[in-house]
Structures are given as C-alpha cells and as structure tokens.
Amino acid sequence: MKKYIIFPLALLLITLGSCTDELNNQVVFSFTAVGENTSINDDTLVVNKSVPVIFSFEGNAENITFYSGELGHEYDKRGLTQTPVSDIDSCYLSFTNKPQFGTIPGTLKVYLSTAYPGMNLANKKTDSLSVINENWINLSDSCNISATSNVMSLSKVSLKSYVNSKITLAFRYKTVDNTAIQPTWQIGNLKIVVRNKKGAITTMSANDLGFSALDLLATENSYSSAGGTGIWDLTNVAATSSVMKIVFSGAGQALNDDWLVSTPKIATSRIPDKGIAVKSIATTVTTYQYTFNTPGIYKVGFHAVNHNFKYSSETGQTQIIKVK
C-alpha cells in the first residue's frame, strides 16, 4: 500500500520562500576603522605608522576582500586591465642581445606593427605571406644591436607613441652568406615596461607576449620552437631571464630566414590590483587588522560579495586614511 506525505500549504510556502531568499541574498556591508591615537579630519582617518588599524564589519557579507590603497593594491584598480593613457609617464621595450660566431652585422632585425592581426598558427604558407607582406616599422637602428661576437648589448626603445594600439613585435634572423658560419643570436630578459605618473610599474615579459617561431625557408608545415641548428629555441622563454636563442649554422649549410612574432597586445595591459581575502562564506569574521608602515595617504577599500549559482550581489566601501 502506497503512503503519501502531505505537507501543509503554509509550510510549503515558507520552504519556497526560504529558498528564494537564499538565491537573492542582497549583500549589505559597512565598516568602521579605529586605532590607537587616531583622529578624524574632514572624513580622513589620521593614524600613526606602525600602529594597527582595526576595521569592524557590519552586515551580511559572505565574502570580503581588503585593498590597502598601496601600490598594486588599490580598490579602484581591482578590475583595471589597462593603464589609462593619461596616467602613463613612460612605456618602453627592453631586452639584451648577444651574437656569437660568423658574420654578425645585419643578421638580426627588430620590427613593430600596430596593425598585424597575428599568425593563425595553422597554415605556414598563409602565415609566411602575412609576415612578409606586413608593413613593419623597423626599430633596428634604435635597438643598440651588438655587432661584435660575445658582446652583449642592452636595447631600450620608447613605445610611448604606440600605447593606444595593439602592438606586435617581431625579430627577423636572416643570413645572406653561408660561406662562413651563420651566427648565433641570444635575446634575453625581454619586456615591455609601463611606468605611471605615480611611479607604479607594470611589465609584460616575452612569455606574456606569446612569441611564436616561423621558419620561412622550411618546406614542412611546422612551427617548431624547440631549437636546433638555425631554429629559434623558445624552451626557456618562461624562465626568469626569458631567453630566446637561435643556434649558428655551419659553413655551407642552408641560409636562414627565421622570424619570432609576438601575439598582438596592448602595451598598457596590466594585471588588476590584488586584494587580501579576509572572509569567505565558510568563515565568520567581524574585524580585520592592518598596519601601515609607510607615511602617506591611502584609499582603503573593502569589496563585499554574496553569490551562488543563480545570484550575485556585490558592494563596496572606501575610507581615506592618512598615515603620519
């Protein structure tokens, strides 16, 4: 005999209402800040350096992130993926270059494009044509390229004129004489550096720029970057020194026309400022303590979020703190 469980209508409505509330949990959040010998001056909290500031929370926030206002930890830049052009003090390309062996001058060229769409990395013939036909800007004469074997040079080229554009960088290794050794070239510690007017620096490394190797004279439809004679070696591009290297070819071996081409990137791309997670849904936190050790004026912020698989609610609050 089947048994049926009957829920009272009122209880069913209460249950459904409870689920609805959970899926629409509007976040409510505020904080106050105090510390030993603090004072308020025109809504600015004045504190002494090396004295802890205690932040007390009110509301129902499930997740709280703290931004101290120090460089790299600014509340207003938590979602900023590009440095505003008006904030930029300088932008430049920097790398070391070192040749070895053979006839060196003219075998390495450096180019830039603000229009190149990027290689598709699926068809070598198509990519070869697009690279050759691109209207590259030749940066070579500004790059202080070494002309002497085993002598390393530092290249530093301003890119400030191009910060509004997507930039593609390219290195071309081309030889025209194989009666002698065709030289080795090593490019190290490549980066694009952006400095804003407050002194904050952001960088993109060779690994961030996503270089790919293209051998124009190879017959096979491949994009090898594993190194070898006359082949760009990118196996160490993610290392600290981000080395990209092409090894010499002996006398009598085939001539080379090899390119390194980056993925188009906006030079002012940046990683959003980071905060400190001080509370998650699994924890109960009502206060947070932070100590400023450097005098200055900081815009402290807390970002509060409630969310689940169907709903998300967020809010934030900031406070100017002057540290003496």
Side-chain angles (χ1 to χ4, degrees), residues 51-237:
V51 175
V53 180
I54 300 172
F55 302 93
S56 299
F57 307 140
E58 294 289 340
N60 64 352
E62 297 170 349
N63 303 276
I64 302 173
T65 304
F66 169 71
Y67 296 83
S68 67
E70 296 161 301
L71 287 178
H73 307 281
E74 297 181 56
Y75 178 84
D76 293 337
K77 295 180 180 179
R78 67 191 185 281
L80 189 64
T81 58
Q82 183 178 345
T83 303
V85 174
S86 59
D87 290 347
I88 294 174
D89 180 60
S90 64
C91 175
Y92 61 88
L93 166 67
S94 174
F95 62 92
T96 61
N97 63 88
K98 180 182 177 181
Q100 290 177 296
F101 316 120
T103 304
I104 294 166
T107 54
L108 183 71
K109 299 289 186 182
V110 185
Y111 300 105
L112 176 146
S113 174
T114 59
Y116 187 66
M119 294 196 298
N120 62 37
L121 300 176
N123 187 296
K124 180 175 173 291
K125 182 178 180 180
T126 299
D127 281 336
S128 297
L129 289 172
S130 71
V131 165
I132 289 298
N133 292 327
E134 179 60 28
N135 187 25
W136 296 101
I137 300 166
N138 194 338
L139 301 179
S140 304
D141 290 342
S142 303
C143 286
N144 188 33
I145 296 176
S146 178
T148 307
S149 182
N150 287 312
V151 175
M152 180 179 290
S153 293
L154 173 64
S155 302
K156 186 175 179 179
V157 183
S158 175
L159 300 181
K160 193 171 181 180
S161 300
Y162 309 107
V163 294
N164 280 320
S165 306
K166 277 191 175 182
I167 292 173
T168 301
L169 296 175
F171 292 85
R172 186 182 193 180
Y173 172 75
K174 181 175 173 61
T175 57
V176 294
D177 182 8
N178 64 351
T179 59
I181 293 175
Q182 300 170 66
T184 290
W185 273 101
Q186 179 175 297
I187 299 166
N189 200 27
L190 184 144
K191 55 190 174 184
I192 292 178
V193 181
V194 177
R195 181 190 297 270
N196 71 18
K197 292 178 180 178
K198 292 183 178 180
I201 293 175
T202 58
T203 63
M204 283 192 292
S205 67
N207 193 46
D208 298 327
L209 290 167
F211 279 93
S212 298
L214 178 64
D215 185 346
L216 292 187
L217 302 183
T219 56
E220 70 277 6
N221 188 30
S222 67
Y223 297 84
S224 175
S225 58
T229 301
I231 299 174
W232 280 108
D233 184 349
L234 304 184
T235 55
N236 291 315
V237 72

Side-chain angles (χ1 to χ4, degrees), residues 34 47-55 66 68 70 276 288-295 298 300 321 323:
V34 296
V47 303
N48 294 318
K49 71 173 184 177
S50 303
V51 175
V53 180
I54 300 172
F55 302 93
F66 169 71
S68 67
E70 296 161 301
I276 300 172
Y288 179 69
Q289 179 175 298
Y290 190 80
T291 302
F292 293 90
N293 294 313
T294 303
Y298 304 94
V300 168
I321 296 181
V323 180

Side-chain angles (χ1 to χ4, degrees), residues 288-310:
Y288 179 69
Q289 179 175 298
Y290 190 80
T291 302
F292 293 90
N293 294 313
T294 303
I297 297 176
Y298 304 94
K299 185 178 182 180
V300 168
F302 285 91
H303 188 228
V305 179
N306 289 354
H307 66 86
N308 54 43
F309 69 100
K310 285 189 175 181

